[in-house]
């Protein structure tokens, strides 16, 4: 039976009896029951897999229903894993499916749990969980099939301990962030205003974060001005808005969350305060303050107030966004009151009042800084980090996962490939591009025989809590690290046992005799992972940089080695506070590249996107130029190479 897709033919053959029998007896784990996961579960049972376990922490949202076909409207709010199991059993009742409504990062799912399976398949939407599953499969020595989609783009790859790169083997570009002074003082792109508006939501209605301040930044290094002089020049503004430099939330509460007072503070008084920072505007266009009374004295047309076309794709005028700001503040204020004293709201792009607030505030700030305003649809896409999910892409990728699974279970590992699904045919009319799997990176800080990394920091300024949270957990993906100093005494610096080393948290590393050249041994017993950390003391780190990873450890993305731009890949549906299988939020995407080569590329020649996050799977090679990036053709590839054939024996 054949399936024609553009110029790509997937040739299916009947499974050998031995392979068919192994499918009915082997146990497989599916991590994620979302866009890819639904398609994958369907494919697995219809291919003959009988013993499947699926885990997902997420619940079903209305926005999932357009592509996650195992779910219906009546299932909204229920466990994805449980409903997916029930739906699959309706058309394949002979399957033995176990569902877990839980995070795969829960310590209950330890190495012994993973050893129960012959194969693990990821259908995830966040990097933290992907890193964790990668490490658990390495520790358990179980093959892992990794996958991701973003719009029309997708990819599938196979990871096997000792034979291929692991998910964390290569450098990944750091997720793009913006300096606080840019967000607060000198936004130049719409995304800066959208980030500011999300911060503002948290400062007013959610959990306050000192790193998300929205008021003018008087410590901006570009300013180099005299605050006393500026305060004198801002007298008029102070009289108008009665400005007092208190926390945003405290000030808002004192006004009873009055929308007009909030408007004038944010878009008039704070802007006038910014204008006193003369040096900021010598080479930039100065912002133009907005005044609530003046805006509403202007004559406005119906078009400005309501826009034209589909509601979410309208771009309103200043008055329209001012009214939207007023309405959304009143609604959010009511929600706070209903929740009671001390309550906080959580920003969710699918919550209309929250989305209205961010849309209005971001667009008003864009207007202040002379940018073209954006529709609610555009703001939501950027604010939620959304990559449109295409059901067809998920279906194709899920099919490719099963193909690679069959090869793996049939002991045809040399036939396994990394496969990229492209948005458009390349010059050779290919949509699917198979790439040879790369061998492990001997310098990988996860799968090397003795993982080791060098970190540059200031031992007199870095506290133990920062070492644990920002370096070991956030940077190196540990879940519950135990750290001892290699000082000949085995001094315990951090313990995963609650309460044992809490007294150390706010002490500086230097308080424990740690200095330039000190070594730490960090163990994560859940991941069965040990990392040696060499410390270099430095007092010359850049401003706002707490540490740097140096040496051979993945740190910075290499320069692109091929001409065509990479794309972001994710199972991209939503940037949830609790992603599908992780209790920790993390926006996720992988990289794909449209490959135009006549010859089979290696996955190491694929270019990474600069928008990607820090631990993305690598599809490029820093030490390889374009001519060296090609590999020999697949032995089974026909001479007439107009079609790619993926065959199963």
């Amino acid at each position: 039976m054949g399936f024609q897709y553009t110029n790509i033919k997937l040739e299916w053959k009947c499974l050998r009896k031995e392979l068919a029998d192994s499918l009915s007896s082997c146990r497989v784990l599916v991590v994620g029951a979302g866009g890819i996961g639904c398609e994958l579960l369907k494919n697995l049972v219809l291919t003959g897999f009988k013993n499947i376990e699926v885990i997902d922490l997420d619940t079903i949202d209305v926005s999932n229903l357009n592509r996650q076909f195992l779910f219906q409207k009546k299932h909204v709010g229920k466990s994805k894993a449980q409903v997916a199991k029930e739906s699959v059993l309706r058309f394949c009742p002979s399957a033995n499916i176990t569902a877990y409504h839980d995070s795969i990062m829960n310590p209950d799912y330890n190495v012994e749990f993973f050893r129960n399976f012959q194969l693990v398949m990821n259908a995830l939407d966040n990097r933290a969980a992907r890193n964790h599953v990668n490490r658990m499969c390495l520790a358990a020595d179980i093959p892992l099939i990794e996958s991701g989609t973003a719009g029309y783009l997708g990819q599938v790859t196979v990871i096997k301990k000792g034979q291929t790169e692991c998910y964390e083997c290569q450098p990944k570009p750091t997720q793009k962030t913006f300096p606080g002074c840019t967000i607060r003082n000198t936004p130049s792109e719409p995304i800066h205003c959208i980030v500011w508006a999300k911060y503002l939501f948290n400062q007013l209605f959610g959990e306050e974060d000192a790193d998300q301040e929205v008021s003018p930044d008087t410590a901006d290094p570009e300013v180099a001005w005299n605050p006393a002089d500026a305060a004198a020049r801002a007298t008029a503004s102070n009289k108008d808005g009665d400005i007092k430099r208190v926390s945003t939330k405290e000030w808002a509460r004192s006004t009873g969350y009055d929308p007009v007072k909030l408007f004038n503070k944010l878009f008039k008084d704070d802007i006038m305060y910014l204008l006193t920072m003369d040096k900021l505007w010598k080479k930039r266009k100065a912002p133009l303050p907005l005044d609530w009374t003046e805006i509403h004295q202007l004559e406005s047309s119906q078009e400005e107030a309501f826009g034209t076309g589909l509601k979410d794709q309208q771009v309103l005028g200043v008055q329209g966004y001012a009214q939207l700001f007023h309405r959304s503040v009143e609604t959010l204020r009511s929600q706070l009151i209903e929740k009671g004293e001390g309550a906080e709201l959580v920003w969710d792009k699918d919550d209309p009042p929250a989305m209205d607030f961010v849309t209005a505030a971001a667009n008003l700030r864009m207007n202040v800084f002379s940018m073209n305003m954006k529709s609610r649809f555009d703001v939501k896409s950027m604010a939620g980090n959304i990559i449109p999910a295409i059901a067809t892409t998920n279906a194709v990728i899920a099919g490719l996962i099963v193909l690679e699974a069959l090869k793996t279970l049939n002991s045809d590992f040399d036939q396994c490939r990394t496969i990229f699904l492209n948005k458009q045919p390349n010059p050779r009319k290919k949509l699917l591009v198979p790439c040879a799997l790369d061998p492990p990176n001997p310098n990988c800080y996860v799968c090397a025989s003795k993982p080791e990394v060098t970190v540059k920091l200031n031992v007199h300024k870095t506290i133990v809590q920062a070492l644990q949270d920002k370096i070991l957990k956030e940077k190196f993906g540990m879940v519950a690290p135990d750290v001892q100093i290699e000082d000949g005494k085995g001094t315990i610096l951090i313990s995963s046992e609650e309460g044992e080393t809490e007294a150390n948290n706010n002490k500086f590393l230097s308080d424990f005799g740690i200095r330039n050249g000190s070594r730490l041994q960090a163990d994560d017993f859940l991941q069965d992972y040990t990392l040696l950390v060499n410390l270099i003391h430095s007092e010359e780190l850049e401003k706002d940089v707490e540490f740097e990873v140096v040496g051979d450890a993945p740190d910075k993305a290499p320069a692109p080695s091929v001409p065509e731009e990479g794309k972001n890949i994710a199972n991209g549906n939503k940037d949830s506070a609790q992603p599908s299988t992780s209790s920790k939020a993390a926006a996720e995407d992988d990289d794909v590249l449209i490959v135009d080569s006549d010859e089979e590329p290696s996955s190491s020649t694929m270019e990474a996107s600069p928008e990607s996050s820090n631990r993305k799977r690598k599809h490029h090679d820093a030490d390889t130029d374009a001519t060296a990036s090609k590999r020999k053709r697949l032995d089974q590839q026909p001479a007439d190479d107009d079609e790619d054939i993926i065959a199963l024996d």
Side-chain angles (χ1 to χ4, degrees):
M1 177 172 89
F3 169 65
Q4 191 71 31
Y5 189 82
T6 310
N7 289 316
I8 296 161
K9 184 179 179 184
L10 299 179
E11 185 173 278
W12 294 78
K13 297 181 180 179
C14 293
L15 301 177
R16 291 183 296 104
K17 185 179 185 303
E18 294 86 349
L19 179 57
D21 289 343
S22 71
L23 298 189
S24 62
S25 60
C26 74
R27 293 180 66 184
V28 297
L29 174 64
V30 175
V31 188
I36 295 176
C38 284
E39 294 284 351
L40 180 56
L41 287 169
K42 175 260 295 179
N43 288 349
L44 289 173
V45 296
L46 295 181
T47 304
F49 288 85
K50 297 295 183 184
N51 300 294
I52 304 168
E53 299 190 22
V54 58
I55 181 169
D56 198 310
L57 179 64
D58 213 353
T59 55
I60 299 163
D61 186 82
V62 173
S63 62
N64 303 145
L65 303 182
N66 70 331
R67 63 194 178 282
Q68 298 174 24
F69 69 97
L70 295 180
F71 311 140
Q72 300 173 28
K73 190 174 181 180
K74 65 183 179 181
H75 297 136
V76 170
K78 296 182 179 179
S79 162
K80 283 188 175 182
Q82 188 61 38
V83 173
K85 167 190 171 180
E86 295 168 359
S87 298
V88 168
L89 289 177
R90 280 203 293 272
F91 58 81
C92 189
S94 61
N96 177 26
I97 302 176
T98 303
Y100 303 92
H101 178 56
D102 205 350
S103 166
I104 193 63
M105 298 174 76
N106 186 319
D108 291 341
Y109 310 110
N110 53 24
V111 173
E112 291 305 315
F113 173 81
F114 277 81
R115 285 182 178 144
N116 292 323
F117 305 99
Q118 281 70 56
L119 185 64
V120 176
M121 289 164 273
N122 268 353
L124 286 161
D125 63 358
N126 74 93
R127 180 161 299 103
R130 290 184 184 209
N131 289 340
H132 181 72
V133 173
N134 172 62
R135 297 179 186 197
M136 299 305 288
C137 288
L138 290 172
D141 197 7
I142 302 298
L144 168 66
I145 300 181
E146 181 60 78
S147 64
T149 64
Y152 295 100
L153 307 174
Q155 72 180 70
V156 174
T157 193
V158 182
I159 297 170
K160 187 170 175 61
K161 183 178 182 179
Q163 297 187 40
T164 73
E165 287 183 344
C166 77
Y167 183 72
E168 300 170 81
C169 252
Q170 295 295 342
K172 283 86 178 177
T174 303
Q175 186 172 8
K176 189 172 183 181
T177 57
F178 308 100
C181 54
T182 299
I183 299 299
R184 297 167 63 181
N185 291 0
T186 55
S188 58
E189 301 174 25
I191 187 62
H192 298 157
C193 299
I194 293 168
V195 170
W196 177 87
K198 286 182 67 176
Y199 286 179
L200 177 62
F201 177 92
N202 288 334
Q203 293 291 341
L204 291 176
F205 307 106
E207 182 178 0
E208 288 185 278
D209 185 337
D211 293 330
Q212 296 185 359
E213 183 55 65
V214 293
S215 297
D217 183 7
T218 58
D220 189 333
E222 187 180 348
V223 176
W225 59 302
N226 186 330
D229 293 344
R233 292 197 296 269
T235 301
S237 176
N238 286 336
K239 289 180 179 178
D240 271 343
D242 193 22
I243 293 180
K244 296 179 181 178
R245 296 295 152 185
V246 296
S247 79
T248 305
K249 179 173 285 189
E250 183 181 342
W251 183 86
R253 283 175 176 166
S254 71
T255 70
Y257 287 97
D258 183 292
V260 175
K261 290 183 178 179
L262 282 173
F263 182 97
N264 280 332
K265 179 203 183 296
L266 296 166
F267 305 110
K268 177 187 175 185
D269 298 328
D270 280 356
I271 302 306
M272 293 178 71
Y273 193 80
L274 278 175
L275 288 171
T276 66
M277 303 181 189
D278 302 354
K279 293 187 178 181
L280 290 178
W281 318 115
K282 286 185 176 180
K283 296 182 180 180
R284 295 183 180 91
K285 183 175 181 179
L288 302 172
L290 296 175
D291 181 86
W292 178 268
T293 303
E294 291 178 2
I295 288 175
H296 287 79
Q297 286 175 347
L298 297 174
E299 292 186 7
S300 61
S301 64
Q302 189 73 6
E303 181 180 7
E304 183 188 35
F306 300 102
T308 57
L310 296 175
K311 183 178 179 181
D312 273 10
Q313 296 181 10
Q314 299 169 7
V315 178
L316 309 182
V318 175
Q319 189 178 80
Y321 283 123
Q323 292 171 352
L324 183 62
F325 179 85
H326 191 286
R327 291 196 300 269
S328 62
V329 169
E330 288 185 328
T331 303
L332 294 169
R333 177 180 60 191
S334 298
Q335 291 180 359
L336 270 182
I337 293 172
E338 289 176 7
K339 284 179 172 287
E341 184 68 26
E344 294 174 344
L345 303 181
V346 177
W347 189 84
D348 184 344
K349 70 181 187 304
D350 294 319
D351 178 40
M355 194 63 238
D356 286 345
F357 176 85
V358 168
T359 300
N363 274 295
L364 291 167
R365 191 164 174 87
M366 289 180 216
N367 180 269
V368 165
F369 286 90
S370 304
M371 301 177 212
N372 292 328
M373 295 187 289
K374 298 290 183 181
S375 69
R376 189 179 192 274
F377 178 85
D378 290 335
V379 173
K380 184 175 182 179
S381 295
M382 289 187 273
N385 232 5
I386 302 169
I387 301 172
I390 308 295
T392 306
T393 309
N394 291 337
V396 172
I397 292 302
L400 293 171
I401 294 173
V402 174
L403 290 176
E404 295 306 306
L406 292 174
K407 294 177 191 177
T408 302
L409 293 173
N410 198 36
S411 300
D412 289 333
F413 193 76
D414 58 334
Q415 301 298 316
C416 291
R417 298 289 181 264
T418 293
I419 304 172
F420 294 88
L421 170 63
N422 298 323
K423 184 176 182 180
Q424 297 176 336
N426 64 12
R428 303 199 73 257
K429 302 180 181 180
K430 304 298 192 305
L431 280 176
L432 290 179
V433 180
C435 303
L437 299 172
D438 286 312
N441 174 7
N443 296 316
C444 176
Y445 62 74
V446 174
C447 68
S449 57
K450 293 183 178 179
E452 190 166 341
V453 71
T454 300
V455 177
K456 182 188 294 185
L457 47 71
N458 189 324
V459 299
H460 303 300
K461 294 183 179 180
T462 304
I463 62 173
V464 173
Q465 187 80 52
L467 171 69
Q468 174 182 274
D469 295 344
K470 296 186 178 181
I471 299 179
L472 297 178
K473 289 186 177 180
E474 185 176 327
K475 177 65 179 178
F476 297 122
M478 290 185 162
V479 177
D482 290 272
V483 180
Q484 71 175 25
I485 307 170
E486 292 197 344
D487 55 1
K489 306 174 186 176
T491 303
I492 302 299
L493 189 65
I494 298 171
S495 173
S496 58
E497 294 294 329
E498 187 174 354
E500 280 194 3
T501 56
E502 281 185 8
N504 295 346
N505 288 348
N506 293 316
K507 294 181 180 179
F508 296 108
L509 298 185
S510 57
D511 294 339
F512 298 89
I514 295 174
R515 57 186 179 178
N516 187 53
S518 291
R519 286 165 60 93
L520 308 177
Q521 178 175 310
D523 296 286
D524 191 315
F525 295 105
L526 173 61
Q527 297 178 341
D528 194 15
Y529 172 50
T530 298
L531 178 67
L532 289 177
V533 182
N534 299 298
L535 298 180
I536 297 177
H537 170 67
S538 174
E539 298 183 1
E540 298 178 354
L541 295 172
E542 294 182 14
K543 185 178 184 295
D544 297 329
V545 174
E546 295 184 60
F547 68 93
E548 291 179 0
V549 179
V550 298
D552 293 322
D555 180 24
K556 296 180 180 178
S561 59
V562 286
E564 192 143 358
E565 180 101 15
K567 303 288 184 181
N568 286 338
I569 293 286
N571 190 19
N573 30 20
K574 64 180 184 178
D575 181 18
S576 171
Q578 287 190 321
S580 295
T581 54
S582 170
S583 59
K584 179 179 178 181
E588 165 55 23
D589 34 30
D590 283 331
D591 305 318
V592 294
L593 172 74
I594 299 175
V595 178
D596 298 336
S597 171
D598 288 351
E599 303 176 60
E600 183 197 22
S602 157
S603 63
S604 69
T605 68
M606 310 305 280
E607 177 187 7
S609 162
E611 297 295 327
S612 313
S613 290
N614 204 22
R615 295 193 184 91
K616 290 186 181 174
R617 179 150 179 79
K618 173 252 194 186
H619 303 297
H620 51 256
D621 192 337
D623 302 317
T624 307
D625 58 27
T627 58
S629 69
K630 296 184 180 181
R631 296 281 183 89
K632 294 181 179 180
R633 299 186 185 202
L634 293 169
D635 294 336
Q636 71 270 26
Q637 192 170 4
D640 179 9
D641 198 24
D642 286 340
E643 295 181 333
D644 288 340
I645 297 177
I646 300 173
L648 291 177
D649 294 326

